[in-house]
Amino acid sequence: MGKMAAAVSSVATLATEPGEDAFRKLFRFYRQSRPGTADLRGVIDFSTAHAGRSTSPGTQKVVRSQLSVSSVSEHNAHRAGLRPVSKWQAYGLEGYPGFIFIPNPFLPGYQWHWVKQCLKSYSQKPNVCNLDKHMTEAEPRDLWGQSKGLLRCKELNKRRPRSLLEKLRWVTLGYHYNWDSKKYSADHYTPFPSDLAFLSEQVAAACGFQGFRAEAGILNYYRLDSTLGIHVDRSELDHSRPLLSFSFGQSAIFLLGGLKRDETPTAMFMHSGDIMVMSGFSRLLNHAVPRVLPNPEGEGLPHCLETPLPAVLPKDAVVEPCSVEDWQVCASYLRTARVNMTVRQVLAKGQDFPLEPMEDNKGDVTTEDFCHLDDQDNQVKRARLNLDS
């Protein structure tokens, strides 16, 4: 208890910067935190959580969340690489109705598929990414092909140039989010990946949202020095449907706040395989990622990623085999990185996008300038732009 109290005390004694709100103060505290110290004692770890217990002074009580076990067959769960829903653990937080946290419900080895998809498949055209502005329309975008050689020799050559995959910060799927206008539109759409849509539909149904349609996705690619600024996901036109979040790779700290930024947020760990669902009251809450945590055992992978994908998969599985060579590239990347997939339903059933007048382009403004994801390579941008708005 002494170490837990020390963590709370450390936050309390952190000097408040001019104009700084409660959320930003805690964001700054965890961004500067030191793994292995009392700094992280106030962070909820759902992988070891017990319903009805507060993990430390000042944190919210963990409660058990009920799942709709009958809504997802064991066969469909297996097709997506998930354990039967009856085997999942699901938690919520007192004071955050609609927030559901599911610690790694994936079958052993099946995370390999989703990691490979994020790096090898979803990063390709016609999907949109932050690197597009550096490439011509005619130039093929093969980030995987141009990066796999460099990533395979990563351990042998520490001074090698960064691969394109290591420069990747975000990818959008389906209805492509416009970072300038902060809107979606009917004319900026490419087909949503069918495997990710199926996975999302099963998770949503298990959480009581039958009929969920995966229409837009934002994938964020984090290095160890990356952060995700304080924001609210309100651009979707239908807020009655949940926001789904899937994490893979190194662990991170996630902050879930209130409707206003002067409410102190709750901190929790996100480990590889964890799924978060934000719905109802929690759908429009402020949230952020102030810190990606290096593996305490050095540049290694989380233990749940050490088990290979089974050689024999269900005949109708949406999951595909992953070769040893492909996983070597993925593993090399993830030793110092984290990938997060967020999936949303943009429109209600039968709803259309509103007609809007055409706007002039804003000259030298680029999509990358407005991306939430930030790291040490963006020091100039951080000083020039308010990335948290």
Side-chain angles (χ1 to χ4, degrees):
M1 183 64 72
K3 290 183 178 179
M4 294 179 181
V8 176
S9 176
S10 297
V11 177
T13 57
L14 184 68
T16 302
E17 295 182 345
E20 187 174 50
D21 53 62
F23 199 128
R24 183 66 191 176
K25 182 176 181 179
L26 202 63
F27 181 98
R28 185 163 58 89
F29 172 79
Y30 283 117
R31 187 177 66 193
Q32 301 169 358
S33 61
R34 298 160 296 164
T37 70
D39 288 354
L40 303 186
R41 294 292 180 175
V43 183
I44 295 173
D45 192 341
F46 284 101
S47 66
T48 59
H50 299 281
R53 181 185 301 176
S54 294
T55 55
S56 68
T59 61
Q60 299 297 321
K61 182 185 292 184
V62 174
V63 296
R64 183 78 69 173
S65 290
Q66 297 298 317
L67 297 174
S68 181
V69 175
S70 62
S71 296
V72 180
S73 68
E74 290 192 15
H75 179 69
N76 278 344
H78 194 180
R79 289 177 61 197
L82 298 165
R83 293 184 173 91
V85 177
S86 61
K87 304 292 186 184
W88 298 7
Q89 301 294 318
Y91 300 100
L93 292 172
E94 197 172 67
Y96 291 96
F99 175 75
I100 304 172
F101 194 107
I102 306 169
N104 186 14
F106 288 93
L107 290 163
Y110 279 78
Q111 289 186 55
W112 281 28
H113 168 81
W114 301 107
V115 171
K116 184 191 72 171
Q117 292 296 85
C118 289
L119 297 178
K120 185 176 182 178
S121 177
Y122 301 156
S123 63
Q124 308 300 339
K125 291 181 178 179
N127 300 327
V128 178
C129 79
N130 64 292
L131 299 179
D132 286 341
K133 69 171 188 172
H134 303 292
M135 302 178 179
T136 65
E137 286 292 329
E139 187 178 1
R141 191 220 294 162
D142 184 9
L143 305 187
W144 177 269
Q146 295 168 340
S147 302
K148 60 184 181 181
L150 287 171
L151 285 169
R152 284 199 185 110
C153 69
K154 180 178 178 180
E155 304 306 314
L156 301 176
N157 183 6
K158 298 289 186 180
R159 296 187 177 183
R160 62 171 177 77
R162 284 194 307 163
S163 65
L164 287 177
L165 277 176
E166 290 169 301
K167 296 178 182 179
L168 186 63
R169 291 296 174 265
W170 55 263
V171 167
T172 57
L173 311 172
Y175 288 116
H176 297 286
Y177 185 69
N178 185 315
W179 301 101
D180 296 351
S181 66
K182 303 188 187 304
K183 294 180 180 179
Y184 299 96
S185 63
D187 59 357
H188 198 193
Y189 175 84
T190 56
F192 194 93
S194 59
D195 57 347
L196 182 54
F198 185 81
L199 170 68
S200 302
E201 289 160 6
Q202 307 316 304
V203 172
C207 294
F209 294 96
Q210 290 82 3
F212 174 85
R213 299 193 312 274
E215 295 178 328
I218 297 179
L219 314 184
N220 282 323
Y221 298 78
Y222 295 77
R223 310 306 300 167
L224 291 180
D225 59 358
S226 299
T227 64
L228 183 70
I230 307 165
H231 67 285
V232 175
D233 292 282
R234 58 166 57 92
S235 298
E236 296 72 31
L237 301 185
D238 182 12
H239 296 152
S240 69
R241 310 305 277 173
L243 173 71
L244 311 180
S245 170
F246 303 86
S247 294
F248 303 106
Q250 300 302 326
S251 299
I253 296 173
F254 179 80
L255 297 179
L256 180 63
L259 296 172
K260 298 180 179 179
R261 285 177 46 166
D262 58 4
E263 299 178 50
T264 301
T266 296
M268 62 200 77
F269 290 112
M270 291 187 296
H271 301 305
S272 191
D274 289 349
I275 299 174
M276 289 193 307
V277 179
M278 296 175 68
S279 67
F281 170 80
S282 295
R283 176 65 176 80
L284 295 175
L285 297 183
N286 284 282
H287 55 280
V289 178
R291 185 72 191 271
V292 178
L293 300 167
N295 192 312
E297 301 174 6
E299 288 194 5
L301 293 177
H303 293 306
C304 63
L305 292 175
E306 294 175 352
T307 303
L309 182 66
V312 179
L313 303 171
K315 289 184 179 179
D316 56 351
V318 301
V319 174
E320 300 173 349
C322 179
S323 68
V324 173
E325 293 76 14
D326 280 355
W327 183 248
Q328 286 175 344
V329 176
C330 294
S332 177
Y333 176 90
L334 283 185
R335 286 191 181 97
T336 55
R338 168 181 180 264
V339 179
N340 179 256
M341 310 187 299
T342 57
V343 179
R344 311 105 188 284
Q345 179 172 327
V346 177
L347 300 168
K349 186 176 181 180
Q351 185 179 21
D352 293 318
F353 287 100
L355 295 176
E356 295 187 2
M358 295 291 290
E359 294 184 3
D360 294 332
N361 291 331
K362 296 183 179 181
D364 61 352
V365 177
T366 67
T367 56
E368 190 174 40
D369 290 334
F370 284 88
C371 182
H372 297 308
L373 200 60
D374 192 18
D375 58 24
Q376 297 303 314
D377 291 336
N378 293 327
Q379 293 288 350
V380 175
K381 290 175 186 171
R382 186 184 295 121
R384 183 163 51 91
L385 292 167
N386 178 9
L387 296 179
D388 297 338
S389 59

